[in-house]
Amino acid sequence: MRISCPHCGDRDRREFTILGDADPVRPDGMDDDAGAMLEYVYQRTNPAGLLREYWYHGAGCHAWLVVERDTRTHAVTGVVTARQAAIERGRGGR
């Protein structure tokens, strides 16, 4: 599997470490109950198909990326920096 890093170009997936699903939104610990945090931490889906995931480019530019890939074929369909993904989702970014 190849990942096209926005900073370094096309790279082998062994240069990256996967964190997991990029779409869950962390509950606000002060406003949500313990059940919401339990759901966020432990109850994850394992879909067959397109999934957006966080990947860390540890052997390259050290950037966090959001990679969209098909979990059935591992075909990568899109890559953006995590910061850009946060801006696009309205979460800001630093």
Side-chain angles (χ1 to χ4, degrees), residues 72-88:
R72 296 167 296 194
T73 63
H74 301 291
V76 174
T77 59
V79 181
V80 297
T81 64
R83 180 178 186 180
Q84 183 61 38
I87 291 168
E88 290 170 3

Side-chain angles (χ1 to χ4, degrees), residues 16-50:
F16 299 84
T17 303
I18 186 171
L19 174 66
D21 192 350
D23 289 329
V25 177
R26 187 176 194 274
D28 184 344
M30 302 306 283
D31 292 333
D32 289 314
D33 63 6
M37 187 58 79
L38 177 80
E39 182 78 18
Y40 170 76
V41 173
Y42 296 108
Q43 303 300 320
R44 298 294 175 98
T45 60
N46 189 16
L50 285 181

Side-chain angles (χ1 to χ4, degrees), residues 1-13 15-16 55 57 61 63-68 74-81:
M1 187 170 90
R2 307 287 292 179
I3 297 174
S4 184
C5 176
H7 305 291
C8 304
D10 196 35
R11 299 289 196 237
D12 188 88
R13 71 130 194 106
E15 291 189 13
F16 299 84
W55 288 72
H57 196 183
C61 61
W64 279 101
L65 307 174
V66 174
V67 175
E68 184 177 82
H74 301 291
V76 174
T77 59
V79 181
V80 297
T81 64

